[in-house]
Amino acid sequence: MRPLWSIAAWEAIRGDSFVPVLNSAASIELIHTYSLVHDDLPCMDDDNERRGSPTVHIAFGEAPALLVGDALLTEAFRLASEPSEIMAATRAHVVAEIAEAAGFMGMIGGQAADIGLAGKVEDVETLKRLHEGKTGALIRISTRVGAICAEATPQDLAAITEYGQCIGLAFQLADDVLDAEEDAGDGGPPSYATLLGVEECQRQASTLRDQAIAALTPFGARGAILEKLARYTVDRDI
């Protein structure tokens, strides 16, 4: 979904062909995929399956899985910086923003908290900070990248960022609702569902969805795809 958010943000600003934003959109998905490969490793979550298939280290070994993740991360930045219709200064801006979102200020910081480097996660505020990095940072940057590539005004970029911030948290809340039954039975780490309860998770996710949609008001009909993605994030039905 992350590349779709970039494309939809481009269309909300420009309303024309989204081809110029594809490299930047794809680079974020490469980073997301690398994070999944590394997250599954024995030294992290030690997962044997992802989406019904063997994880990379199970299928090919730990060393290949480590290198696959490294290669995906490196290729992401090569792709985002590759000459294109996007102006060089804008590409540099995008690369810097993606690096921040994927690094210790964003996703890596969230991963560090997830494995306990900042102590146990025992309350909602700590869990929120964790997911703002681990999950939310890449979703937020996905929307910002589309807007930045489209040369959004500061006001439009702020609106897109507000959308991305809201929908990043809504995404995790909705996921925790879907996983609530499994989480309750496996004694795993705390989730929003275990800390708040499923009904409160659903309520907060719906509120965030509505806030995200409200942020799209300046874009009128051009924000329709972003709105559909917001509804899908929470309702999982378009």
Side-chain angles (χ1 to χ4, degrees):
M1 289 183 66
R2 289 154 187 81
L4 292 178
W5 273 308
S6 295
I7 292 167
W10 167 282
E11 293 194 343
I13 303 297
R14 293 279 290 262
D16 60 6
S17 171
F18 55 77
V19 170
V21 80
L22 287 179
N23 278 6
S24 297
S27 72
I28 296 170
E29 188 56 28
L30 290 174
I31 291 172
H32 176 231
T33 305
Y34 120 77
S35 75
L36 300 182
V37 173
H38 280 191
D39 200 35
D40 290 335
L41 286 168
C43 62
M44 298 286 283
D45 283 355
D46 194 15
D47 285 323
N48 293 333
E49 287 190 359
R50 181 171 288 276
R51 298 169 188 162
S53 297
T55 51
V56 177
H57 72 275
I58 292 296
F60 304 105
E62 288 185 40
L66 183 65
L67 292 175
V68 163
D70 292 346
L72 288 165
L73 177 60
T74 307
E75 177 64 9
F77 288 103
R78 188 203 66 77
L79 188 61
S81 60
E82 190 175 64
S84 69
E85 297 177 50
I86 305 297
M87 292 189 301
T90 303
R91 294 200 309 273
H93 183 186
V94 164
V95 167
E97 290 233 359
I98 292 174
E100 181 174 328
F104 74 94
M105 295 288 288
M107 187 183 71
I108 295 299
Q111 289 278 26
D114 195 31
I115 65 171
L117 292 184
K120 290 185 178 180
V121 177
E122 297 178 323
D123 58 80
V124 172
E125 283 306 310
T126 304
L127 186 64
K128 182 179 178 182
R129 288 194 298 273
L130 185 161
H131 284 301
E132 281 179 346
K134 185 176 179 181
T135 303
L138 282 194
I139 292 176
R140 184 171 62 252
I141 195 59
S142 296
T143 60
R144 281 182 61 84
V145 158
I148 291 167
C149 286
E151 305 291 345
T153 65
Q155 294 80 9
D156 284 348
L157 182 58
I160 290 289
T161 303
E162 172 69 12
Y163 169 92
Q165 184 77 21
C166 291
I167 218 63
L169 180 53
F171 184 94
Q172 189 62 51
L173 285 161
D175 262 12
D176 282 2
V177 168
L178 291 174
D179 294 340
E181 187 174 315
E182 177 184 346
D183 290 343
D186 65 9
S191 69
Y192 288 112
T194 58
L195 292 174
L196 294 172
V198 169
E199 289 187 8
E200 179 62 13
C201 266
Q202 291 172 323
R203 187 193 69 79
Q204 290 193 20
S206 296
T207 297
L208 286 162
R209 175 202 60 208
D210 294 344
Q211 290 175 0
I213 292 170
L216 301 175
T217 300
F219 308 113
R222 295 198 311 274
I225 298 177
L226 283 173
E227 179 177 343
K228 286 184 178 182
L229 289 172
R231 295 189 185 282
Y232 175 76
T233 295
V234 174
D235 307 329
R236 304 299 163 107
D237 182 28
I238 294 182

